[in-house]
């Protein structure tokens, strides 16, 4: 859906995307749809179709598996994302990264702004950039605004790993990949991550690969 020009109504295109059932194909880096940004959601899908689309995003995110998925990652350029993180990590990882459970939720027209000056840097990956991770320094806390799938407003402060997830998915909706914000020298393959960089905080990677942490 993201690799071709299609001038049909968006609802028709989403219906076609959902017709196959099961997890949706995830668009990978290099597809222009990931760089064009998205349009605000303003009822383009209608309540019933929106519900089905959100369910498909949820299924696709869990099947991947991932902790977030933006609509644009399945080729739909609408400002919608889903997030969820059961945070099945050891206590030392939870403490170091602030990775606490994030219940499933839908973000409609989300935006974020830093709260305070604290920044945290950790390895980050993306379903649209499979097989690679890199260290990204992000605000440790953000103010999240927008709405949920029922139109109820969101305005809250999010911290720790949930704040990282919110920023990552919202960036997708602006045409930004995590690699745009990453420390280039930290880029590591999945194999290198498994063999070398498993500690909760990437101090060893910074020293060995030659980059600085905030």
């Amino acid at each position: 859906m993201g690799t071709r020009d299609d001038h049909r109504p968006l609802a028709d295109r989403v219906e076609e995307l959902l017709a196959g059932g099961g997890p949706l194909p995830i668009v990978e880096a290099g597809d222009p749809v990931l760089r064009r940004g998205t349009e605000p959601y303003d009822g383009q899908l209608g309540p019933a179709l929106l519900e089905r689309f959100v369910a498909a995003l949820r299924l696709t995110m869990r099947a991947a598996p991932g902790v977030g998925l933006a609509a644009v990652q399945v080729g739909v350029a609408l400002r919608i994302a889903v997030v969820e993180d059961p945070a099945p990590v050891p206590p030392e990882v939870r403490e170091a990264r602030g990775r606490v459970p994030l219940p499933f939720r839908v973000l409609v027209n989300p935006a974020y702004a830093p709260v305070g000056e604290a920044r945290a840097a950790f390895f980050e990956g993306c379903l649209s950039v499979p097989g690679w991770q890199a260290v990204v320094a992000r605000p440790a806390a953000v103010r999240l605004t927008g709405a949920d799938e029922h139109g109820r407003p969101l305005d809250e402060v999010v911290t720790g790993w949930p704040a990282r997830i919110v920023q990552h998915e919202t960036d997708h909706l602006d045409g930004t990949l995590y690699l745009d914000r990453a420390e280039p020298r930290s880029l590591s393959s999945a194999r290198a991550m498994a063999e070398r960089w498993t500690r909760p905080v990437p101090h060893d990677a910074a020293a060995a690969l030659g980059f600085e942490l905030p």
Side-chain angles (χ1 to χ4, degrees):
M1 184 171 181
T3 57
R4 62 182 182 178
D5 291 328
D6 191 335
H7 300 294
R8 293 175 299 159
L10 183 61
D12 291 348
R13 288 180 275 150
V14 172
E15 286 280 12
E16 181 182 11
L17 184 65
L18 299 181
L24 305 175
I26 294 177
V27 174
E28 295 187 357
D31 191 313
V33 73
L34 291 172
R35 294 305 199 171
R36 291 174 180 156
T38 55
E39 63 180 86
Y41 180 73
D42 188 24
Q44 293 93 328
L45 303 185
L49 184 54
L50 176 62
E51 183 177 0
R52 291 170 53 213
F53 182 54
V54 165
L57 289 176
R58 184 178 191 175
L59 175 65
T60 304
M61 174 183 65
R62 289 178 170 179
V67 296
L69 188 68
V72 71
Q73 290 181 272
V74 297
V76 178
L78 281 177
R79 202 167 184 82
I80 298 172
V82 296
V83 296
E84 181 183 46
D85 185 12
V89 296
E92 61 269 22
V93 174
R94 178 169 299 187
E95 181 177 356
R97 298 180 180 174
R99 188 171 176 183
V100 297
L102 174 62
F104 176 79
R105 63 192 308 185
V106 182
L107 307 179
V108 177
N109 299 330
Y112 69 84
V115 175
E117 298 182 359
R119 294 172 66 80
F122 297 104
F123 275 103
E124 195 169 311
C126 180
L127 297 178
S128 292
V129 190
W132 298 91
Q133 293 190 40
V135 172
V136 184
R138 294 188 181 273
V142 295
R143 180 184 178 189
L144 170 66
T145 56
D148 67 11
E149 68 272 37
H150 304 295
R152 296 176 297 215
L154 301 176
D155 189 345
E156 61 190 76
V157 174
V158 187
T159 61
W161 204 258
R164 181 169 296 268
I165 296 171
V166 163
Q167 292 173 74
H168 181 114
E169 299 309 328
T170 303
D171 282 354
H172 269 303
L173 304 177
D174 294 326
T176 299
L177 296 178
Y178 85 97
L179 291 173
D180 300 331
R181 302 189 185 280
E183 168 53 59
R185 296 181 68 96
S186 70
L187 185 65
S188 301
S189 67
R191 179 176 177 179
M193 289 295 304
E195 293 179 350
R196 297 176 180 273
W197 314 131
T198 58
R199 294 193 177 185
V201 179
H203 293 305
D204 292 347
L209 299 178
F211 62 92
E212 295 184 359
L213 298 174

